[in-house]
Amino acid sequence: MKFGFIGCGNMGGALASAVAKSIEANEIAVCDAFAEKADAFAKAHGVTATDTASIAQNAEYIFLGVKPQVFEDLFAEISPILKKRTDSFVLVSMAAGISISAVEKMADCDPAVIRIMPNTPVSVGAGVVLYSVNEKVEKGEIEAFCKALSAAGVVDPIPEDKIDAASALSGCGPAFVALFAEALADGAVECGLPRDKAALYAAQTILGTAQLILESGKHPGQIKDAVCSPGGTTIEGVHALEKGKFRAASMNAVTAAYEKTLKLKK
């Protein structure tokens, strides 16, 4: 067992699905508080359904896909198992607000730890997985981890003291973008476009523009300027967005999410 997932809910399941595209299915095991969920996931992806103790005892990478409020209970169960291991293993934590040092303390066995913050688009292979590591994680382990998660999207290292700010963008951002997509579609519907067409065109326009920014390497402002003809329709729309303080509202959304994260950690 190379990768073990304790918890295969929305995020844990999405990451396990991505890993299953990169390594052999027989090297992956999952478990869940609801055994039927793990069984169904295992059947759908050809991986092994097992229990928490087995993953804690055997997996090289142990993904902790449980809610932050049950972390202490989980470690009460697995810490004695981890302490008995003589081989190397890595704990992979995806719990918001729980630091690497907190994971180390709960594990009580001086473990290698990778802290990750994935976002929901990992479920379609277009997500962002931020990660930070402690000094116990070896270079080869980081490389294997990144390779295994490559099917999830962008896997990017970041200092832990920046991970909360980054996740306020990448983690919360899908909600902000979805709200924008809905608003664009609503505007088109108001102009007479059928709802299904409006939703499709809004989503594809956001997708295409994001791809254009990434592949061209151009600043977003350059992309905007290229569409805005003098005296044209687009600049009129941009002016309307500026009147509504669109950019300020977008910035405020990210900073508000970040500030809320800091409050929750106190």
Side-chain angles (χ1 to χ4, degrees):
M1 187 192 306
K2 192 173 183 68
F3 286 81
F5 292 81
I6 300 176
C8 53
N10 291 336
M11 193 58 71
L15 291 173
S17 298
V19 171
K21 296 175 183 176
S22 302
I23 69 172
E24 295 295 326
N26 60 13
E27 294 183 303
I28 303 169
V30 299
C31 71
D32 197 88
F34 299 96
E36 61 273 15
K37 181 185 291 185
D39 290 339
F41 184 92
K43 184 177 181 180
H45 295 86
V47 303
T48 302
T50 185
D51 55 36
T52 301
S54 178
I55 289 177
Q57 185 173 355
N58 298 295
E60 292 181 37
Y61 294 84
I62 304 170
F63 282 71
L64 308 174
V66 301
K67 296 183 183 301
Q69 56 265 35
V70 299
F71 251 52
E72 290 189 3
D73 290 339
L74 173 62
F75 275 106
E77 179 181 355
I78 69 173
S79 181
I81 300 172
L82 299 176
K83 288 180 179 180
K84 293 179 182 179
R85 291 187 61 164
T86 56
D87 59 337
S88 61
F89 62 90
V90 181
L91 297 177
V92 183
S93 170
M94 63 184 82
I98 296 184
S99 65
I100 289 175
S101 61
V103 174
E104 293 170 338
K105 184 176 180 180
M106 284 185 276
D108 193 29
C109 59
D110 200 23
V113 179
I114 300 177
R115 179 184 174 188
I116 66 173
M117 289 303 296
N119 65 4
T120 52
V122 301
S123 64
V124 292
V128 175
V129 181
L130 309 169
Y131 74 89
S132 302
V133 305
N134 68 358
E135 69 281 356
K136 297 291 182 179
V137 186
E138 297 181 358
K139 182 180 179 181
E141 291 173 326
I142 296 174
E143 291 173 348
F145 164 82
C146 291
K147 183 178 180 180
L149 283 175
S150 60
V154 173
V155 183
D156 197 54
I158 191 166
E160 191 179 16
D161 64 356
K162 297 292 188 293
I163 201 167
D164 290 328
S167 63
L169 171 56
S170 64
C172 303
F176 308 153
V177 174
L179 194 64
F180 180 49
E182 182 183 34
L184 288 176
D186 283 347
V189 169
E190 186 176 21
C191 294
L193 199 65
R195 172 64 64 180
D196 59 339
K197 297 289 188 182
L200 171 63
Y201 300 160
Q204 185 61 41
T205 298
I206 291 172
L207 175 64
T209 305
Q211 189 170 343
L212 181 59
I213 292 171
L214 291 172
E215 293 189 8
S216 70
K218 293 180 179 179
H219 188 280
Q222 291 179 276
I223 304 295
K224 179 262 294 178
D225 288 349
V227 188
C228 292
S229 301
T233 57
T234 305
I235 192 63
E236 190 76 14
V238 168
H239 191 184
L241 288 173
E242 293 289 9
K243 286 180 180 178
K245 300 182 180 180
F246 175 73
R247 285 192 288 185
S250 299
M251 293 171 66
N252 289 342
V254 176
T255 55
Y258 174 63
E259 289 168 0
K260 180 65 172 180
T261 299
L262 298 183
K263 290 179 181 178
L264 292 174
K265 292 172 68 175
K266 292 180 180 179

